[in-house]
Amino acid sequence: MKAQPPQRLERSSASPAFHRQRPEDPEWHWLEQREDAEVTRFLEDANTESDAWFAPLEALVERLYHGHLARRELAVHGLRTPLDHYTYWSETAADADYPVWWRHPNGTPDAAAPFLDLEARAAAHDFLEIGDMALSPDERWLAWTEDTTGDEVFDLFLVLLTDGEPRCLLNGIGPDLTWAEDNATLLFTRYDATQRPESVWRLGLNEGEADAPVLVLREEDPEFWLGLGKTRSREWLVLESASKDTSECHLIPARAPATPPRCFRPRENGVEMALDHRPGHFYLLHNREAPHFRLDRLDASCLDKAADTQRWRSLIPHRDHHTLEGVDAFQWGLVVTERDHDEAQVHLRVMEFDPDHAITRDEHLPLPETPCSQALGDAPHFDSRRLRLHEESFVQPSSWVEHDLDSGERRRLKQQPVHGDLKPEKLACQRLWATSHDGERIPVSVVMRADLVGHPRPTLLYGYGAYGEVLDPWFSVARLELLAHGVAFAVAHVRGGGDRGEPWYLAGKLEHKANSFHDFLAARDTLVEHGIADAGRIAAYGASAGGLLVGASLNLAPQAFCAAVLDVPFVDVLRTMENPDLPLTIAEYTEWGNPTDSDVHRRIEAYSPLDNLGERLYPAMFLQGSWHDTRVPYWEPAKLYARLTELGTARGPVLLRTDMAAGHGGASGRFKAWHDGARQDAFILWALGLTPPE
């Protein structure tokens, strides 16, 4: 069956964009006026139009939704994690959207009791998202932040876990929380007017009674934001001030939280640094004179002289073909996360030391397959020699494995169950290498039903390509519905992401951003050349910055795809980066550039999707936005919808759906999120010609 439909469509007079043009505002900037009732009516009318278009597909949407539910374990029991005094886990009932958190005293599972019921807390709200949960070190108190609108502004709650009632302590703060080791001090962040976490505050608590917050650190540079953490040794609170390419760390003794923060080393432009600690030693992961990062050690006795790089001792030098991504310290040594550039594969490296800090062990943990994802899981005990690992791939569901460092034994603790007829063993995955416009090799991952390998398939191509984010292999139960219908799912690991390490990120940002778009189109062509994708039935999917990737690619080659789904897409890049009053704009100058520079202005204008629309035969599109989104405002997909509708050059429908009760991540409840996903899948199947004609 052919993809739907091949012909150019005329504009519909029923579209809200048909009769709301304003000649004095051809770019539809009036949609940015959130308080204007006409804006709300426009979005609601677009939702009504979308509902009418989907009406013939509603039966398919429901089949996909219930098919997804049938494949998933609805009653979810989280992995139990013992801390010093209690063992913790979450349970989500089969009919619940949100989990309930439980605990029992270590060694007495019969004394289990719930301590935080998020399903009950969500009952009074259309939206609920937890920003952070933090247990006091003595495990008597639980603090958490929650957002009930989707705008990522949080309220702080505290409860005494033995028998207390939750109390709201503060409103309108950032999500992050960290307890000091005195069991009576809580650190949190506050935003500035652009929703940048610009300050860290200390809240003293005396048996739950809060003192007035005290300012600990303020970041004056609008390109930097503050974050909170604590070393695994629990000896130091770490306050990180970071931009997209520069960072510095401030330390406070965790048992003396009123101590003024100490800057470990003053920031140096372009130098990023992360810290961890073992008694007697600090570990510095940084890219100073090492673009792919290196790992150094500093004797704790030299903390006052930490700025003197001559005192740093090399542990892992800079290498051309690997990027160091993280370091986790334990009493016995380190777990280092590193990435192989050539294979686009992450590895966990274990290093152990003797009392003189000589290396007694240096090896990589085994991988279950390649390509795959492997990450260090919860490891709350500093002396633990049994590591919890999280592993998954495109064909293997998420697994939690315990790796014994002494015996080498691997024991599976939990694996995500998959029900239904399409089991993991019936799937096949392969890694291709596309050649981009400049000769660079681009990884492309593909997963499909094993019985369809060798036959060109309708294909969904996904990409992101920004901020150095990595698209390591991940298993998706929701994806199984598309695979069951014969769709191949492909991922383009384009430059701008971190899939092949730090150089891969740098080669797809700022003046190199266009590489991302060419890489995405090269991935599409390679799928056709290898006989995997049917050239006429390829759909594209991108969310947030991935929406920019897809939108710019459509302007370059609209004929390459029969349809596209753009979810909360960042498509008004130039106008957004010209407005420093918007959340995140200033902090993102190092990602996209500052358009007050004329060269940067021209560069962004040359690819910004909304600035490059034209009389092209665009594919069918399903655009999605959220009313409370502070990262990509609702008006970006709304303006794209309005201008495409006004052009009237699409080969299929251009639909807009705005969730009026959600933020950047969409619906917070899992059932609504799954139903929204089923609607997306119905559109994709329709566009790929895998549904019966009306």
Side-chain angles (χ1 to χ4, degrees):
M1 187 179 294
K2 292 183 179 179
Q4 308 270 352
Q7 78 280 2
R8 171 176 170 155
L9 298 184
E10 296 300 323
R11 289 180 295 169
S12 168
S13 60
S15 168
F18 185 80
H19 53 84
R20 285 190 172 94
Q21 301 101 325
R22 298 182 181 181
E24 75 282 5
D25 186 8
E27 296 180 332
W28 295 78
H29 295 325
W30 68 269
L31 289 171
E32 298 176 10
Q33 306 305 314
R34 183 186 293 269
E35 303 306 321
D36 186 344
E38 187 64 16
V39 171
T40 305
R41 283 192 289 270
F42 178 93
L43 299 177
E44 291 173 343
D45 288 350
N47 283 351
T48 299
E49 178 192 33
S50 174
D51 289 342
W53 187 90
F54 273 100
L57 296 180
E58 276 307 312
L60 174 61
V61 172
E62 293 305 311
R63 284 199 302 273
L64 292 169
Y65 173 63
H66 289 287
H68 171 83
L69 298 185
R71 298 182 191 279
R72 181 179 288 277
E73 189 84 349
L74 294 177
V76 179
H77 293 257
L79 190 64
R80 300 192 178 208
T81 300
L83 300 187
D84 292 340
H85 307 292
Y86 289 82
T87 295
Y88 297 81
W89 73 99
S90 65
E91 295 184 6
T92 307
D95 59 350
D97 272 314
Y98 302 89
V100 177
W101 283 88
W102 291 72
R103 72 174 188 171
H104 66 69
N106 289 340
T108 58
D110 293 341
F115 63 89
L116 182 60
D117 188 339
L118 295 181
E119 181 75 3
R121 295 193 67 78
H125 307 286
D126 293 330
F127 183 95
L128 178 71
E129 181 178 8
I130 300 300
D132 202 358
M133 293 173 57
L135 278 165
S136 62
D138 61 7
E139 302 176 47
R140 294 181 63 225
W141 299 91
L142 175 72
W144 73 93
T145 51
E146 65 181 36
D147 166 20
T148 55
T149 64
D151 62 0
E152 300 185 56
V153 176
F154 294 83
D155 298 328
L156 171 62
F157 290 84
L158 181 74
V159 67
L160 179 63
L161 290 181
T162 51
D163 56 5
E165 285 293 322
R167 290 188 296 132
C168 183
L169 299 183
L170 294 170
N171 302 109
I173 67 170
D176 297 340
L177 299 172
T178 297
W179 282 93
E181 288 295 305
D182 63 355
N183 296 299
T185 304
L186 192 62
L187 273 66
F188 66 93
T189 59
R190 276 185 166 147
Y191 293 136
D192 67 4
T194 64
Q195 210 161 332
R196 172 182 69 100
E198 56 88 34
S199 55
V200 172
W201 297 73
R202 184 177 72 242
L203 189 65
L205 300 167
N206 182 11
E207 289 302 307
E209 295 300 321
D211 299 331
V214 176
L215 177 66
V216 177
L217 182 67
R218 173 168 278 121
E219 175 54 68
E220 301 291 351
D221 190 326
E223 290 195 34
F224 284 71
W225 63 90
L226 289 168
L228 298 173
K230 184 161 50 177
T231 60
R232 192 183 299 276
S233 65
R234 295 165 63 163
E235 291 193 20
W236 295 95
L237 303 173
V238 182
L239 282 55
E240 182 185 42
S241 183
S243 71
K244 295 292 183 181
D245 64 359
T246 303
S247 64
E248 72 180 4
C249 295
H250 302 259
L251 299 177
I252 299 173
R255 292 177 177 81
T259 306
R262 173 205 303 258
C263 180
F264 183 83
R265 181 178 185 271
R267 69 189 62 170
E268 180 180 347
N269 188 45
V271 174
E272 299 174 74
M273 179 178 293
L275 292 181
D276 210 341
H277 171 264
R278 293 172 62 230
H281 311 278
F282 286 95
Y283 299 91
L284 329 172
L285 187 68
H286 67 94
N287 62 347
R288 187 175 186 274
E289 300 178 353
H292 308 159
F293 290 83
R294 58 180 288 169
L295 181 65
D296 289 342
R297 175 179 65 87
L298 175 75
D299 286 339
S301 61
C302 298
L303 180 57
D304 289 338
K305 302 178 180 63
D308 180 4
T309 58
Q310 297 300 314
R311 296 181 180 273
W312 299 2
R313 299 291 177 260
S314 177
L315 279 176
I316 302 178
H318 178 266
R319 292 165 296 165
D320 290 336
H321 300 292
H322 290 79
T323 291
L324 297 183
E325 295 184 337
V327 57
D328 290 273
F330 291 83
Q331 189 176 62
W332 42 263
L334 306 174
V335 177
V336 180
T337 304
E338 60 182 27
R339 182 168 301 274
D340 183 308
H341 297 175
D342 294 332
E343 298 302 321
Q345 176 62 56
V346 69
H347 297 272
L348 294 182
R349 179 174 177 177
V350 172
M351 303 180 72
E352 293 192 52
F353 308 105
D354 67 14
D356 297 322
H357 213 276
I359 297 174
T360 60
R361 179 179 189 173
D362 187 358
E363 63 187 32
H364 290 107
L365 296 181
L367 295 171
E369 61 181 291
T370 57
C372 74
S373 296
Q374 186 183 67
L376 186 66
D378 289 335
H381 293 112
F382 189 55
D383 59 352
S384 176
R385 295 189 59 80
R386 294 182 178 180
L387 301 178
R388 282 191 176 181
L389 310 177
H390 176 250
E391 300 174 343
E392 63 183 317
S393 74
F394 286 115
V395 296
Q396 289 300 320
S398 288
S399 295
W400 289 262
V401 175
E402 183 181 80
H403 181 95
D404 190 313
L405 290 175
D406 296 317
S407 67
E409 178 186 0
R410 284 169 51 91
R411 181 170 67 94
R412 180 180 292 171
L413 303 174
K414 178 182 171 63
Q415 184 173 46
Q416 179 185 18
V418 178
H419 301 294
D421 56 342
L422 192 55
K423 299 293 188 182
E425 58 268 21
K426 294 184 178 181
L427 302 176
C429 176
Q430 62 184 114
R431 169 70 60 83
L432 309 176
W433 293 86
T435 301
S436 195
H437 67 295
D438 57 356
E440 183 60 87
R441 297 169 65 244
I442 314 302
V444 185
S445 300
V446 188
V447 59
M448 65 172 68
R449 280 169 32 194
D451 62 312
L452 298 178
V453 172
H455 306 281
R457 304 305 309 159
T459 300
L460 178 63
L461 179 61
Y462 176 86
Y464 188 75
Y467 307 114
E469 290 293 325
V470 175
L471 296 181
D472 276 336
W474 76 99
F475 189 85
S476 168
V477 174
R479 186 192 302 143
L480 295 177
E481 286 301 305
L482 289 178
L483 301 184
H485 280 77
V487 176
F489 177 79
V491 176
H493 303 275
V494 304
R495 281 172 283 186
D499 307 73
R500 294 187 66 187
E502 187 70 6
W504 205 243
Y505 169 45
L506 299 177
K509 66 180 291 191
L510 295 173
E511 68 270 22
H512 306 298
K513 186 60 202 170
N515 286 337
S516 303
F517 318 136
H518 292 295
D519 294 354
F520 193 71
L521 294 172
R524 180 262 179 208
D525 292 343
T526 292
L527 292 168
V528 175
E529 293 163 5
H530 281 75
I532 290 172
D534 178 341
R537 297 201 285 176
I538 305 176
Y541 187 106
S544 193
L548 162 61
L549 174 70
V550 171
S553 298
L554 293 180
N555 280 331
L556 290 173
Q559 75 286 351
F561 302 97
C562 68
V565 176
L566 285 77
D567 190 7
V568 293
F570 182 35
V571 289
D572 203 2
V573 185
L574 181 60
R575 184 169 173 85
T576 294
M577 296 309 296
E578 286 180 321
N579 187 351
D581 294 329
L582 288 174
L584 306 181
T585 290
I586 295 176
E588 304 228 333
Y589 285 156
T590 50
E591 180 73 23
W592 314 106
N594 185 344
T596 58
D597 181 315
S598 59
D599 290 338
V600 174
H601 187 283
R602 285 191 293 270
R603 186 175 73 229
I604 296 176
E605 188 176 34
Y607 68 73
S608 178
L610 273 173
D611 292 291
N612 289 276
L613 297 177
E615 292 285 335
R616 305 179 184 92
L617 291 178
Y618 288 100
M621 290 191 217
F622 184 28
L623 312 175
Q624 299 176 105
S626 292
W627 179 248
H628 297 291
D629 193 341
T630 58
R631 295 174 182 263
V632 179
Y634 69 86
W635 60 73
E636 297 207 23
K639 286 197 282 186
L640 180 59
Y641 159 78
R643 293 183 61 186
L644 284 170
T645 302
E646 193 172 23
L647 279 171
T649 60
R651 291 173 283 143
V654 176
L655 304 170
L656 172 68
R657 173 174 290 274
T658 305
D659 191 326
M660 304 301 289
H664 191 63
S668 60
R670 60 177 185 160
F671 287 101
K672 185 177 186 301
W674 293 338
H675 199 275
D676 290 347
R679 186 187 298 110
Q680 287 183 10
D681 287 352
F683 176 84
I684 292 165
L685 292 174
W686 171 85
L688 295 177
L690 293 174
T691 62
E694 295 180 21

